[in-house]
């Protein structure tokens, strides 16, 4: 049995539903009020991915730090995947996704320097008052290197598990292609980059 440990970050503006998303995914419940916890905090979800593989997810909630202009490198350290979430009824939370994605790409990188897999979630799709069109989400998602985007409703439990499965699938595929590239990377990468690459790999 192989066990994969994955640190996954859930980022986005305040009130878009990040804590509700984690709560729904891990505990299968939805409330209207979530305790305001300050400081990064994580929850664990174990997936029996296949007969031979277990995936242990560490879901990191930014909990109360949404208004800081950039998160610390420590928060991003070792992350293998990310969810960027906005509220479809709030266009400013959508516009801020650019900031979240840039901050992420700046601070969390794969050992080969590429961006970590990231999914864009348009939450609260159960509400009638849409403020962002599907076309603009689609264009934004493609232009900014998201693996894909999905509409979710944490309230109605729509696409919560599906979105996470999509992200985990991408992380596993990226990790296995990195593993395959590993022997060759030593003769193609600059020596300095190569040493940090090896160090990064060991940390993870
Ligand atoms: P956070 O600040 O991003 O962690 O947002 P919360 O998880 O605290 O959610 C903010 C509010 O939005 C809460 O009142 C939630 O109940 C509500 N909420 C979260 N997801 C949904 C959803 O899919 N639909 C609706 N209608 N409300 C939601
Ligand atoms: Mg929260």
């Amino acid at each position: 049995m192989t066990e994969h440990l994955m640190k996954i970050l859930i980022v986005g503006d305040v009130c878009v539903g990040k804590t509700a998303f984690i709560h729904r995914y891990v505990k299968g419940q939805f409330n209207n009020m979530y305790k305001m916890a300050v400081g990064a905090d994580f929850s664990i979800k174990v997936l029996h991915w296949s007969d031979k593989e277990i995936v242990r997810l560490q879901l990191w909630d930014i909990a109360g730090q949404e208004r800081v202009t950039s998160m610390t490198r420590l928060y991003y350290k070792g992350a293998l995947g990310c969810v960027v979430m906005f509220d479809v009824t709030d266009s400013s939370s959508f516009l801020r996704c650019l900031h979240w994605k840039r901050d992420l790409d700046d601070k969390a990188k794969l050992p080969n320097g590429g961006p970590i897999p990231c999914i864009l979630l348009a939450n609260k799709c159960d509400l009638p008052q849409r403020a962002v069109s599907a076309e603009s989400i689609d264009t934004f998602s493609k232009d900014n290197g998201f693996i894909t985007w999905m509409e979710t409703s944490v309230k109605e439990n729509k696409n919560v598990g599906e979105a996470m499965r999509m992200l985990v699938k991408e992380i596993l595929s990226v990790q296995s292609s990195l593993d395959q590239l590993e022997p060759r990377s030593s003769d193609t990468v600059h020596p300095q980059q190569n040493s940090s690459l090896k160090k990064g790999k060991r940390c993870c």
Side-chain angles (χ1 to χ4, degrees), residues 14-15 17-20 34-36 61-64 66:
V14 70
C15 272
K18 302 179 299 298
T19 305
Y34 294 91
K35 235 192 327 177
M36 179 80 170
D61 190 349
I62 58 174
E66 290 94 338

Side-chain angles (χ1 to χ4, degrees), residues 13-20 30-32 34 66 123-124 126-127 152-155:
D13 273 10
V14 70
C15 272
V16 299
K18 302 179 299 298
T19 305
F30 178 80
N31 311 316
N32 271 316
Y34 294 91
E66 290 94 338
N123 192 36
K124 307 198 188 180
D126 56 284
L127 296 175
T152 56
S153 167
V154 175
K155 185 173 183 181

Side-chain angles (χ1 to χ4, degrees), residues 45-121:
K45 167 96 177 174
V46 178
L47 300 175
H48 296 276
W49 192 255
S50 70
D51 292 349
K52 299 190 191 87
E53 287 167 302
I54 286 183
V55 175
R56 191 177 293 271
L57 300 175
Q58 254 187 16
L59 304 162
W60 287 66
D61 190 349
I62 58 174
Q65 294 183 72
E66 290 94 338
R67 289 194 178 89
V68 301
T69 46
S70 80
M71 299 295 292
T72 63
R73 282 182 193 275
L74 192 65
Y75 175 73
Y76 288 108
K77 197 171 178 208
L80 297 185
C82 182
V83 171
V84 175
M85 182 179 280
F86 67 96
D87 171 349
V88 272
T89 69
D90 170 10
S91 56
S92 76
S93 73
F94 172 60
L95 295 174
R96 283 262 300 165
C97 289
L98 182 60
H99 158 83
W100 289 111
K101 182 69 163 69
R102 287 197 174 150
D103 197 41
L104 171 79
D105 288 347
D106 214 27
K107 292 173 185 160
K109 291 185 172 60
L110 292 174
N112 68 359
I116 64 167
C118 185
I119 191 167
L120 178 65
L121 299 185

